[in-house]
Amino acid sequence: MDIDIRSLPSPCYLVDERLIRRNLEILKSVQDRTGASILLAQKGFSMFELYPLIGEYLKGVTSSSLFEARLGYEEMGKEVHVYAPAYVDGEFDEMLTYADHIVFNSFDQWNRFKDKVKSYPGKTIECGIRVNPEYSEVATPLYDPCYAYSRLGVTRANFRPDELEGLDGLHFHALCEQNSDTLERTLAAVEEKFGEFLPGMKWLNFGGGHHITRPDYDIERLVRCITHIQDKYGVHVYLEPGEAIALNTGYLVTTVLDTIDNGMNLAILDTSATCHMPDVLEMPYRPTILGAGQPGEFAHTYRLGGLTCLAGDVIGDYSFPEPLKAGDKLVFTDMAHYTMVKNHMFNGVNLPSIALYREGEGSKVVRRFQYEDYRNRLS
Ligand SMILES: *Cc1c(COP(=O)(O)O)cnc(C)c1O
């Protein structure tokens, strides 16, 4: 990393605008080559300081709640798509003020809300239904929308071909951090089950989970998948990746607070797996730290833990060339997506500050959190 972190607060997320731009260039090239539209899935990354920049490249946002829809509408001001497993009656009217596309998770939801959508004054809101292709290659059940009895999307057995009047598109989401060969096989399942309904539609939304900005991602195959669907059915294709926009664009800068020994060397950091990097526990995975190695690779191995009282608030085992001591900085990589959006203040642990590095301007702290942010959520 070529950024000087010494002046940053700790802990602090640091997002590098140059790397966001690099990802956006790749995504835009897919749009330019295919005519498809790519949306930011705010669920994965909602650092709205960057929405004006993201809006220069992508067509808009997708949202899974009223608040996400409003954030995208107010901070980016481009297309706002919404999908949620169910809509809340008391929120739906306000949702319509922000939405351009609404995707329903069941035919009962579609029937319940369709008159409201279709009679909304002043703009045409397009509607879709989420289908479940009952095919996915996601190994972690927590992140697999197609596991048995999944509530996400209508299966072919429950699809109601006689209730499609007024629907403009279909939506599926069955990928997670995957390459385009998985997309190709998933699309075959979508076509087999739902292809007969596509000629009557305006669009097909491929959902998220496309790891497009990963170095080994096969973009040529993605382009072939998109043009195949567009040519065969005459529909417009949407993709709504979250992770791919912010993949490998940010860091979490942390500090060692203490080191202890309980049969092995332990270090406590001013961050927390459960509060600040919850996917470390949920996925689970072991994040990378700049300059650190696998256990035993360097002379000094430590188990790194967070400062909550949760016994399992453990980040992982790492080795370092020198012994760790209080005050040392540790920098975790790839911490921009699915971190800020999932954080919480369990145990009253404060959230990391948020900083942005811009070419020519250097690093700027764009948000710090304080006691009031904690207190205001509790009563
Ligand atoms: C989570 C989600 C996305 C974004 O997924 P990524 O893995 O971040 O690309 C897009 N669409 C839907 C419906 C989702 O649930």
Side-chain angles (χ1 to χ4, degrees), residues 41 43-44 62 64 83 130 171 173 175-177 207-210 240-244 338:
K43 186 183 81 188
T62 192
S64 313
Y83 158 78
R130 175 166 174 175
H171 175 292
H173 171 71
L175 277 69
C176 179
E177 300 188 332
H210 315 275
E240 44 181 38
E243 181 157 332
Y338 289 103

Side-chain angles (χ1 to χ4, degrees), residues 53-298:
L53 175 75
I54 296 170
E56 286 175 28
Y57 293 85
L58 306 185
K59 303 293 181 187
V61 298
T62 192
S63 329
S64 313
S65 60
L66 176 64
F67 289 172
E68 282 189 358
R70 178 172 172 181
L71 189 73
Y73 178 85
E74 292 184 351
E75 304 294 338
M76 193 181 298
K78 299 189 74 178
E79 287 178 36
V80 175
H81 295 229
V82 191
Y83 158 78
Y87 293 109
V88 179
D89 284 333
E91 294 182 352
F92 199 77
D93 288 344
E94 187 185 342
M95 181 98 84
L96 293 180
T97 65
Y98 310 127
D100 301 293
H101 276 215
I102 297 191
V103 173
F104 295 93
N105 190 56
S106 73
F107 280 93
D108 284 350
Q109 281 266 303
W110 159 234
N111 291 324
R112 180 181 187 88
F113 291 111
K114 87 174 168 200
D115 290 342
K116 269 200 161 159
V117 181
K118 292 297 169 185
S119 63
Y120 189 79
K123 67 175 174 184
T124 305
I125 302 170
E126 299 201 356
C127 295
I129 196 114
R130 175 166 174 175
V131 296
N132 176 354
E134 296 174 83
Y135 178 90
S136 79
E137 301 177 13
V138 181
T140 309
L142 186 63
Y143 296 118
D144 178 8
C146 299
Y147 63 74
Y149 314 121
S150 168
R151 73 192 187 292
L152 304 172
V154 182
T155 57
R156 182 62 184 86
N158 291 296
F159 198 78
R160 303 181 194 162
D162 49 348
E163 294 180 17
L164 297 178
E165 172 80 42
L167 284 172
D168 304 285
L170 297 182
H171 175 292
F172 70 91
H173 171 71
L175 277 69
C176 179
E177 300 188 332
Q178 276 155 325
N179 212 318
S180 47
D181 57 330
T182 302
L183 171 65
E184 196 167 52
R185 293 187 286 272
T186 307
L187 265 182
V190 170
E191 285 196 72
E192 186 201 317
K193 294 200 162 73
F194 302 101
E196 61 180 297
F197 309 111
L198 283 173
M201 298 289 167
K202 287 188 194 155
W203 44 266
L204 176 63
N205 188 320
F206 287 11
H210 315 275
H211 237 189
I212 303 172
T213 49
R214 189 170 86 192
D216 70 337
Y217 188 88
D218 183 353
I219 290 182
E220 297 307 315
R221 192 186 300 268
L222 171 65
V223 167
R224 283 200 301 277
C225 287
I226 295 171
T227 47
H228 162 73
I229 293 293
Q230 288 179 334
D231 294 348
K232 184 163 171 188
Y233 301 103
V235 293
H236 185 78
V237 169
Y238 291 92
L239 294 122
E240 44 181 38
E243 181 157 332
I245 284 121
L247 187 65
N248 289 318
T249 62
Y251 309 90
L252 176 58
V253 176
T254 69
T255 305
V256 175
L257 298 179
D258 196 13
T259 56
I260 45 185
D261 184 343
N262 179 16
M264 73 178 287
N265 286 323
L266 309 170
I268 299 176
L269 310 185
D270 64 351
T271 184
S272 155
T274 186
C275 296
H276 304 157
M277 41 183 120
D279 276 349
V280 165
L281 302 181
E282 287 183 13
M283 195 72 174
Y285 82 106
R286 177 183 174 278
T288 298
I289 298 177
L290 294 178
Q294 294 293 332
E297 191 178 333
F298 296 113

